[in-house]
Amino acid sequence: MNSSAPATPQASDAIPTTQRAAVLHAAHDVRIQERPVPTPAGDEVLVRVTSVGVCGSDVHFFHDGRLGDWSVDEPLVLGHESGGVIVAVGADVDATRVGERVSIEPQHPSHTSAETLRGEYNLDPDMQFYAVPGTDGAFQQYVTIQSHFAFAIPDTVSDEAAALMEPLSVAIATARKAGIQPGSRVLIAGAGPIGIVTAQVARAFGATDIIVSDLAEARRETALSFGATRVVDPAAGGSADLGGPVDAFIDASGAAPAVLSGIRAVRPGGRVVLVGMGIDELALPISYIQNLELTITGVFRYANTWPAAIALVAAGRVDLDRMVTGRFGLDRVVDALESTSDPTTIKSIVTPNS
């Protein structure tokens, strides 16, 4: 997140003036290029990136050159799940932060937008977000971020877990919206990375029945090893055998049939949370929703989640390290992006400085 604001950064050691970055120019066109190392503005820190998770949004941009209303019309550095080490700070940041290992919340909202003032800064319409057209992401060696969005992590938390605090934050925001509490029964559609980490968060929040639905047997087996109490195959009619209505349904699949069947699995007064990407429009059973007084909402990123994410990982309540199934250097970013098509892949990591 570069800025032209003047700053007098304080650094630990000599920092190079240029860096290597994996730059997306168009669909399926990623090039390793030399770019300037950014200078942190007064309220920013410069982070040497250690690990970056590959997200579904990165994959969409790579394959299609677009995602929803966003289009890659100019070169873009992907990657927004990231962590690293602070190597320099802006003039207004405490110099003792140099050397801190941090997890990055990849957002830069307006300080004065109505959304930020309500505490919903993730909904700021002018948000600058890593790896969304207009703001470069972390598939590069160095990045800048406002200091309050660089969260110190304890020594017991790995570099890879630091990066994966981002998808964990999605899961925390989802669980909060779903109203998960001790004793909750939860149905999660989709056993990809978000479904898996959401199952872990549901367990940490006290859910006692965590049912995960997925078409792929390998992903269902993975879900069982990460906290699901049961798994079902929707193609075999498994979604009809849930043992009664659930308190909350979370869609992490982006599949229309999963959303429609999930809505009908929720108890009266229950909640439906849509987090998976894939559906632009869908006809809903409105009278059913009205008669059962269901609450249906979406999740768009997160707000105020990083402290909880770090605490859950540090306490061993969520295991992010075990989710990592592949590691790739910067020269192999394309391989990392393509690895997500393998149903045995949970999360691939890019290490820009290795």
Side-chain angles (χ1 to χ4, degrees), residues 9 14 21 31-32 45 49 68 104-105 112-113 127 138 176 213 227 235 277 279 305 313 318-319 334:
R31 309 174 198 174
I32 304 300
V45 295
V49 180
I104 295 174
E105 180 172 351
T112 58
S113 71
M127 172 71 74
R176 287 173 175 172
S213 170
M277 298 181 297
I279 305 172
T305 54
V313 174
V318 170
D319 187 348
V334 169

Side-chain angles (χ1 to χ4, degrees), residues 65 119 144 159 169 187 236 247 268 290:
T144 54
D159 291 340
S169 282
L187 170 63
D247 299 300
Q290 288 176 320

